[in-house]
Amino acid sequence: MSYPYQIRSAEQYQAAYKKSVDHPEEFWSDIASNFQWRKPWDKVLEWDFKKPTIKWFNGGKLNITENCIDRHLEKLGNKPAIIWEPNDPEEYHRVLTYRELYNKVVQFGNVLKNNGIKKGDRVCIYMGMVPELAIAVLACARIGAIHSVVFGGFSAQSIADRLQDAKAEFVITCDGAYRGNKEIPLKSVIDDALVQCPFVKRVVVLTRTRTAVSMLKGRDVWWEDEVKKVETQGNHDCPAEEMDAEDMLFILYTSGSTGKPKGVVHTCGGYMVYANYSFVNVFQYQPGDVFFCTADIGWITGHSYIVYGPLSAGATTLLFEGVPTWPDAGRFWDIVDKYKVNTLYTAPTAIRSLMGFGLEPVQKHDLGSLKVLGTVGEPINEEAWHWYDENIGKKKCPIVDTWWQTETGGVLISNMAGITPAKPSFATLPLPGVQPILVDENGKEVVGNGVSGNLCIKFPWPGMLRTTYGDHERCRTNYFATYDNLYFTGDGCLRDEEGNYRITGRVDDVLNVSGHRIGTAEVENAINMHTGVVESAVVGYPHDIKGQGIYAFVIYQGHGDSDDKMARQDIAQTVSRIIGPIAKPDKIQFVSGLPKTRSGKIMRRILRKIAEGETDKLGDISTLLDPAVVEEIKNGKL
Ligand code: PRX
């Protein structure tokens, strides 16, 4: 496969960028014409950020799986589409060629249809990182069902919330999942979630761990039995449903500053074009390269750069079930050598955690196949950047620091590997089609270079979110109402003298823990469910490995018989049960009161400073209802 729209020099980047701003419709329609459309679009772009309405390639008809699979069969049918590395290195790996992937997706598409799933139905997918997860995602897309993948680390309560919000009547899961030395009983978690979701009609369960599960008669079926039924029916065809470019492709839930996660909606046409365009250009993918993105498909990174971006480009994508540190800290490097990986795309938190194991696990490996390295999810500190550059890339692999969000569908700001220069800890320049703007609190543009502000985008790009599921007003207020006519990212940002962008972190009440977004309000709600808790306030603090850690200040009135340590563990456990282990507070400090203004608002700024250890920079506290409480909190800092 060739990519006529792949930018190959800095000059080409400048020219493409200019064209994308001067003639955006022509720019994107040229790119989109490289895909397979059943019917061309009527209009490239219609938009109004005030509502917001965003339509790309409207009237165009397509199916994304024809672009990700069918169109490659003739030339790439026998080439690997997915390489799967299991959690346990002793277990056999699997390779699915494009032909095999096609057969599996068609087969499972028919399973979905046999189970009553139709175009527009929402299907929740809660699985470990097995090839069947990608197959399930693609099978949904093939028949026009809307997938909503929920990361395998979320709790029963989180799944129930998402199922209810998406009104999803169908679930695909596994008996269990392996993650390092842990076995996660996925089906049993689903069973707990479904107690609150009587509207779920069908649960398809894949066998992976052979963990004992209970199957509810009439509701739960085994993946393998259903596949056999399709085989017996002799049905080897599953025509791809014709979708409008603006039909929903998937919902993916993400945290915001309110207590309830939002269902970010992406549509078929624009998302496909943008995931592919950004993949081909940022990573400079060359046919035959092996691309290894270490994210989980439960996050947007996995959607765009394990599944849709690579497959739409006819690439070989590596799917890894395990974790970087099990059985030892050389796991990534084993995989790189075993499959001659050319591009490694991971999170700063993983790099920092592996740095902690020293160089021994790295030096045992060749790593000579690597050409490009990437990072995503959080700011990368310079120390980690240099470690990655020197020890993994051996100073010959460009590092792309890719800034983007669940809402953006694909990378918006990044250097292009070997084409535009990298700068440690800077995401650098916007991709063609992306028009960033920095604004101050009043929404006034901050012009020039060597400045900082809140990062907004002033023009639509094909991969942007269209709505938040079931609540368009929420989409408007969250992203389009803070500043007039701008998409607000929620991130603070600095633009250096050369115009390079550096993301400095969230400016709202959202934490970024190990590259995962967690709303402080969500964690507070979970903490407050503990019977002994009166009130709580959660803030982030710098954490060596996770980037940000979770610090909770809690007013606790538990029973005198339990000691503080037990109570704190119990509260952490509550959060884990309500949201999932990723949201567990790292520190819980019991306090007798919280710093509040006279109108009762918690002064988080003060708590943040205390958690960060900057107790001498608290600023004016005289306006507080009870200034004495600050002294007590400072003295009790963990
Ligand atoms: O704060 C930014 C940070 O992660 C947020 C988006 O999180 P999520 O939707 O979960 O998507 C993560 C993967 C795309 C952003 O608002 N972020 C993401 N990438 C970077 C980053 N911060 C700094 N540098 C990055 N490269």
Side-chain angles (χ1 to χ4, degrees):
M1 204 175 176
S2 67
Y3 317 111
Y5 45 88
Q6 190 173 50
I7 290 164
R8 302 292 290 151
S9 67
E11 295 71 39
Q12 281 178 19
Y13 163 74
Q14 293 299 347
Y17 192 80
K18 185 168 184 322
K19 179 162 180 192
S20 77
V21 174
D22 294 346
H23 306 286
E25 298 199 14
E26 194 186 323
F27 177 81
W28 285 112
S29 82
D30 282 354
I31 292 162
S33 63
N34 290 283
F35 294 79
Q36 195 171 308
W37 297 83
R38 296 257 186 105
K39 173 184 167 289
W41 49 91
D42 301 321
K43 195 153 176 18
V44 181
L45 171 64
E46 287 166 53
W47 69 291
D48 177 357
F49 275 179
K50 289 202 187 311
K51 288 193 168 74
T53 318
I54 300 122
K55 291 183 181 166
W56 281 94
F57 314 115
N58 204 21
K61 302 280 184 195
L62 78 158
N63 185 290
I64 196 167
T65 68
E66 287 186 334
N67 285 276
C68 287
I69 312 174
D70 305 40
R71 69 168 171 156
H72 305 315
L73 291 178
E74 199 187 323
K75 290 205 177 112
L76 302 173
N78 296 323
K79 295 271 185 268
I82 295 178
I83 299 174
W84 176 68
E85 171 68 14
N87 179 59
D88 183 347
E90 304 283 308
E91 194 186 337
Y92 279 119
H93 71 273
R94 284 167 64 187
V95 177
L96 290 177
T97 63
Y98 271 95
R99 170 64 61 190
E100 287 162 338
L101 180 63
Y102 172 84
N103 291 338
K104 298 265 180 211
V105 169
V106 161
Q107 192 181 52
F108 198 64
N110 284 322
V111 166
L112 298 178
K113 286 205 234 171
N114 277 350
N115 280 281
I117 304 177
K118 319 173 293 301
K119 178 175 178 175
D121 286 342
R122 276 82 52 219
V123 180
C124 168
I125 305 180
Y126 183 68
M127 298 172 82
M129 283 284 283
V130 286
E132 286 76 9
L133 168 52
I135 291 164
V137 162
L138 291 162
C140 285
R142 185 139 191 113
I143 68 161
I146 300 163
H147 56 77
S148 175
V149 184
V150 176
F151 172 59
F154 277 115
S155 68
Q157 184 60 48
S158 298
I159 299 166
D161 292 344
R162 286 157 175 75
L163 283 166
Q164 285 162 0
D165 189 79
K167 300 180 188 67
E169 294 176 339
F170 304 93
V171 174
I172 306 172
T173 189
C174 301
D175 50 358
Y178 296 121
R179 295 201 98 225
N181 58 6
K182 292 202 192 85
E183 208 176 296
I184 301 147
L186 298 180
K187 172 61 165 67
S188 147
V189 179
I190 288 288
D191 289 341
D192 288 347
L194 295 197
V195 172
Q196 299 179 49
C197 306
F199 50 84
V200 169
K201 292 185 195 153
R202 185 69 82 234
V203 181
V204 182
V205 187
L206 176 84
T207 308
R208 171 62 187 130
T209 53
R210 303 198 175 272
T211 312
V213 298
S214 56
M215 299 289 278
L216 197 73
K217 206 168 168 185
R219 188 193 70 185
D220 303 349
V221 295
W222 288 104
W223 176 299
E224 295 78 9
D225 292 347
E226 295 304 299
V227 162
K228 271 199 206 107
K229 277 188 211 158
V230 168
E231 279 169 6
T232 319
Q233 289 161 352
N235 193 354
H236 302 300
D237 194 16
C238 179
E241 189 74 33
E242 188 166 283
M243 306 295 282
D244 192 279
E246 282 299 335
D247 280 339
M248 281 188 203
L249 174 63
F250 65 84
I251 307 169
L252 189 57
Y253 284 86
T254 189
S255 295
S257 33
T258 63
K260 196 171 153 254
K262 313 174 270 234
V264 168
V265 169
H266 285 287
T267 56
C268 298
Y271 173 80
M272 169 184 77
V273 170
Y274 199 76
N276 176 289
Y277 181 78
S278 53
F279 171 74
V280 162
N281 281 298
V282 170
F283 302 104
Q284 289 290 306
Y285 185 83
Q286 300 304 317
D289 282 357
V290 176
F291 186 83
F292 178 19
C293 165
T294 70
D296 192 288
I297 294 178
W299 309 109
I300 190 70
T301 309
H303 281 61
S304 300
Y305 301 113
I306 295 178
V307 183
Y308 289 116
L311 295 177
S312 65
T316 298
T317 179
L318 202 152
L319 203 154
F320 173 43
E321 185 183 36
V323 297
T325 48
W326 189 86
D328 59 53
R331 195 70 176 103
F332 278 178
W333 325 130
D334 285 337
I335 297 173
V336 168
D337 281 357
K338 181 169 173 188
Y339 301 106
K340 309 246 170 312
V341 168
N342 303 107
T343 307
L344 175 69
Y345 187 34
T346 193
T349 190
I351 299 170
R352 288 190 298 262
S353 124
L354 293 172
M355 275 167 73
F357 290 87
L359 285 177
E360 208 229 316
V362 182
Q363 281 162 347
K364 286 194 269 191
H365 297 84
D366 178 49
L367 306 182
S369 56
L370 286 172
K371 296 197 292 191
V372 174
L373 301 176
T375 71
V376 58
E378 47 178 324
I380 180 162
N381 48 313
E382 291 206 26
E383 193 193 352
W385 195 98
H386 287 292
W387 187 88
Y388 201 30
D389 182 39
E390 283 159 28
N391 302 298
I392 308 306
K394 320 277 187 206
K395 292 201 146 219
K396 62 177 180 49
C397 301
I399 298 177
V400 289
D401 177 351
T402 66
W403 172 82
W404 58 297
Q405 308 178 299
T406 305
E407 294 85 347
T408 71
V411 176
L412 292 199
I413 303 181
S414 172
N415 49 317
M416 292 185 180
I419 304 296
T420 57
K423 178 167 178 180
S425 80
F426 279 74
T428 75
L429 300 173
L431 264 65
V434 176
Q435 300 188 34
I437 161 172
L438 301 184
V439 297
D440 64 19
E441 286 90 79
N442 306 317
K444 198 166 162 297
E445 179 169 3
V446 184
V447 289
N449 286 343
V451 292
S452 338
N454 289 345
L455 178 63
C456 297
I457 315 285
K458 66 177 175 195
F459 195 84
W461 64 101
M464 74 188 298
L465 88 164
R466 301 300 194 262
T467 188
T468 44
Y469 191 82
D471 194 349
H472 193 63
E473 177 58 13
R474 191 158 177 218
C475 172
R476 191 186 71 79
T477 49
N478 254 288
Y479 305 105
F480 298 92
T482 316
Y483 304 114
D484 196 30
N485 251 331
L486 298 175
Y487 165 80
F488 177 42
T489 64
D491 279 326
C493 183
L494 175 158
R495 185 165 53 217
D496 75 1
E497 293 301 339
E498 282 85 47
N500 290 306
Y501 290 87
R502 176 192 189 146
I503 312 301
T504 47
R506 303 286 305 190
V507 293
D508 52 7
D509 287 325
V510 173
L511 306 180
N512 190 327
V513 180
S514 302
H516 301 313
R517 247 160 92 170
I518 298 170
T520 51
E522 253 178 279
V523 183
E524 287 165 7
N525 288 348
I527 291 176
N528 297 349
M529 283 190 194
H530 189 284
T531 47
V533 172
V534 179
E535 198 179 8
S536 65
V538 164
V539 296
Y541 72 97
H543 187 287
D544 285 349
I545 292 178
K546 298 179 175 184
Q548 264 188 314
I550 302 179
Y551 197 123
F553 297 90
V554 176
I555 305 177
Y556 184 73
Q557 283 182 354
H559 304 291
D561 53 356
S562 61
D563 66 37
D564 273 12
K565 188 160 171 252
M566 290 265 292
R568 283 203 290 260
Q569 273 172 4
D570 217 36
I571 292 171
Q573 209 43 48
T574 305
V575 177
S576 192
R577 243 192 346 262
I578 303 289
I579 306 175
I582 48 170
K584 236 185 192 174
D586 298 275
K587 294 183 179 180
I588 298 176
Q589 179 182 343
F590 288 158
V591 295
S592 66
L594 292 167
K596 288 189 181 170
T597 60
R598 293 209 167 86
S599 60
K601 207 172 150 273
I602 297 175
M603 294 281 280
R604 284 163 189 288
R605 179 180 55 80
I606 294 176
L607 293 175
R608 228 175 275 133
K609 288 280 173 223
I610 295 175
E612 286 167 3
E614 298 191 340
T615 41
D616 50 334
K617 295 185 190 147
L618 297 185
D620 181 16
I621 57 167
S622 62
T623 55
L624 291 180
L625 195 59
D626 176 14
V629 83
V630 174
E631 204 51 37
E632 178 215 303
I633 298 176
K634 258 165 61 176
N635 294 335
K637 183 184 175 298
L638 300 172

